[in-house]
């Protein structure tokens, strides 16, 4: 079968062996694979120089083959979306304290999902979520981008920030942010979307944000209109976005980090006295759970959230798409819809 592989920082298509399904695993014929910014960061070695050979962790496809035991979770012919993103979606034990508390990515046995830029992919079957035909293949980025945004928003309720309260989303027009704006608006929060450039701000408004504001004006506008927001979700993959996020919070506010800047950006620093005076709550949110994915598929089927797709292409175009993505050529997501060409 055809599959994308990274060699010396470049991504190309190679002929590789078909995957075989191990115990509790299913082989999915991939019909669409989203291109996530993480794939680009990994291909370029942006994160501590980590460079896996295979990337791609967002996919929709049809179950073709089952390993022993997988019939308990899925069936041949099921149309499915991979349900747990890149972090921890490949395997989790299901029995340790983290798994049982809904944080399988911290499971000592957790494995990631990597390699969906391929005609076929073997995956841990409990992570698969069935999707209705009304949710098209181009929604493949829900598998990581959408799930990560949804998982971060659910943290607001966990920390008692109720609908009706003002929240800010930094990096609002991006691959993750654009889901967060739609979902937060649907949940009834008063949403401030922060990004840069007129086109991106217009896009944020069209997705339902109450206020769309440029990064350089955000702190002043938020202070004046809301006296600070109850929570800020930082999707921007820059340390500057983290620093801006902290400046938007009211006292006691919740800071949710999501975007992962390149390690060359340096550290996110907090003055302990500022921490003491403002009493911020600072957490991180990565992907979500399989249950979150099921809920997200229902929200997508109900029309509450939709992927903004700006580019589709064949597997052979992946290298070009990576270049376009790093040059920020489009607002929304790119999806590989032909894995055999
Ligand atoms: Zn576990
Ligand atoms: Zn991702």
């Amino acid at each position: 079968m055809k599959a994308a592989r990274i060699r010396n920082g470049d991504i190309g298509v190679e002929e590789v062996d078909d995957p075989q399904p191990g115990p509790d695993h299913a082989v999915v014929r991939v019909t669409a694979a989203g291109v996530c910014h993480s794939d680009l960061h990994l291909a370029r070695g942006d994160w501590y120089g980590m460079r896996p050979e295979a990337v791609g962790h967002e996919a929709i496809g049809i179950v073709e083959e089952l390993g022993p035991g997988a019939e308990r979770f899925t069936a041949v012919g099921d149309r499915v979306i991979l349900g747990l993103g890149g972090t921890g979606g490949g395997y989790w034990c299901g029995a340790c304290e983290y798994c049982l508390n809904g944080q399988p990515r911290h499971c000592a046995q957790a494995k990631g999902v990597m390699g969906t830029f391929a005609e076929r992919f073997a995956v841990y079957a409990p992570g698969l979520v069935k999707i209705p035909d009304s949710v098209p293949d181009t929604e493949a980025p829900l598998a990581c981008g959408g799930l990560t945004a949804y998982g971060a928003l659910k943290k607001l309720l966990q920390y008692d920030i109720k609908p009706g309260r003002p929240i800010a989303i930094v990096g609002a027009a991006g691959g993750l942010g654009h889901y967060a704006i739609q979902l937060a608006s649907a949940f009834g929060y008063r949403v401030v979307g922060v990004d840069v450039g007129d086109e991106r701000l217009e896009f944020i408004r069209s997705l339902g944000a109450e206020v769309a504001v440029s990064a350089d004006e955000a702190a002043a506008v938020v202070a004046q209109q809301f006296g600070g927001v109850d929570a800020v979700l930082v999707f921007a993959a820059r340390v500057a976005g983290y620093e801006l996020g902290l400046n938007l919070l009211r006292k006691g506010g919740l800071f949710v980090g999501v975007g992962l800047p390149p390690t060359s950006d340096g550290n996110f620093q907090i003055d302990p006295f500022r921490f003491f005076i403002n009493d911020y709550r600072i957490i991180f949110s990565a992907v979500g759970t399989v249950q979150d994915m099921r809920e997200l598929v229902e929200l997508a089927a109900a029309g509450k959230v939709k992927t903004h797709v700006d580019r589709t292409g064949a597997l052979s175009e992946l290298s070009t798409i990576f270049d376009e993505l790093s040059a920020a050529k489009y607002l929304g997501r790119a999806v590989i819809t032909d894995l055999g060409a």
Side-chain angles (χ1 to χ4, degrees):
M1 66 160 188
K2 288 195 172 73
R5 291 288 180 266
I6 293 166
R7 309 277 175 217
N8 305 316
D10 291 321
I11 191 152
V13 178
E14 297 181 5
E15 195 63 38
V16 305
D17 290 340
D18 272 341
Q20 302 299 321
D24 290 342
H25 279 61
V27 171
V28 172
R29 179 169 55 78
V30 181
T31 52
V35 184
C36 178
H37 237 97
S38 308
D39 296 319
L40 182 68
H41 284 301
L42 288 168
R44 305 264 148 99
D46 283 344
W47 293 336
Y48 295 102
M50 268 190 300
R51 238 180 207 155
E53 204 172 76
V55 289
H57 51 275
E58 296 176 338
I60 287 175
I62 310 286
V63 174
E64 265 194 355
E65 214 182 321
L66 301 178
E71 71 288 348
R72 293 175 296 150
F73 309 108
T74 186
V76 169
D78 278 356
R79 183 164 175 264
V80 291
I81 185 161
L82 265 53
L84 212 58
T87 312
Y91 179 77
W92 63 97
C93 83
C96 70
E97 65 174 296
Y98 292 114
C99 284
L100 291 172
N101 278 326
Q103 297 173 300
R105 80 181 180 101
H106 295 316
C107 174
Q109 296 182 53
K111 286 189 197 136
V113 164
M114 277 295 157
T116 55
F117 296 132
E119 289 181 90
R120 289 182 188 76
F121 187 68
V123 63
Y124 187 46
L128 295 173
V129 174
K130 261 180 101 158
I131 51 168
D133 290 342
S134 62
V135 178
D137 272 358
T138 44
E139 291 297 329
L142 287 179
C144 170
L147 183 67
T148 302
Y150 184 59
L153 275 171
K154 279 186 75 174
K155 298 274 193 312
L156 300 184
L157 294 175
Q158 219 175 302
Y159 285 80
D160 207 29
I161 293 160
K162 297 192 171 69
R165 303 299 306 170
I167 66 159
I169 292 169
V170 177
L176 300 172
H178 87 289
Y179 291 116
I181 294 280
Q182 296 175 63
L183 290 164
S185 304
F187 290 174
Y189 288 103
R190 300 186 67 188
V191 183
V192 179
V194 183
D195 216 303
V196 286
D198 289 344
E199 190 195 359
R200 295 173 86 83
L201 296 182
E202 197 42 57
F203 176 54
I204 293 166
R205 273 181 215 110
S206 76
L207 297 172
E210 179 177 329
V211 177
V213 62
S214 157
D216 56 346
E217 291 168 4
V221 167
V222 164
Q224 198 234 329
Q225 290 196 23
F226 302 100
V229 287
D230 283 34
V232 63
L233 294 95
V234 179
F235 293 98
R238 306 303 311 198
V239 165
Y242 273 67
E243 282 160 358
L244 171 62
L246 208 55
N247 288 332
L248 303 180
L249 277 183
R250 64 176 61 190
K251 286 186 179 185
L254 176 71
F255 180 99
V256 187
V258 186
L260 280 178
T263 37
S264 60
D265 250 27
N267 293 334
F268 169 43
Q269 304 199 20
I270 306 163
D271 167 2
F273 278 91
R274 190 177 167 205
F275 202 7
F276 157 69
I277 290 163
N278 293 292
D279 204 10
Y280 299 128
R281 295 172 290 167
I282 300 182
I283 63 166
F284 197 86
S285 183
V287 288
T289 64
V290 177
Q291 179 55 30
D292 292 337
M293 191 67 227
R294 291 176 184 148
E295 294 166 11
L296 185 60
V297 164
E298 282 175 21
L299 287 164
K304 302 287 186 202
V305 62
K306 192 176 183 310
T307 304
H308 184 78
V309 180
D310 263 337
R311 167 83 147 101
T312 55
L315 188 63
S316 56
E317 292 174 84
L318 201 49
S319 166
T320 313
I321 288 174
F322 272 25
D323 290 341
E324 292 168 356
L325 205 62
S326 66
K329 281 246 170 83
Y330 25 79
L331 269 178
R333 292 297 226 108
V335 180
I336 304 297
T337 46
D338 186 353
L339 282 300

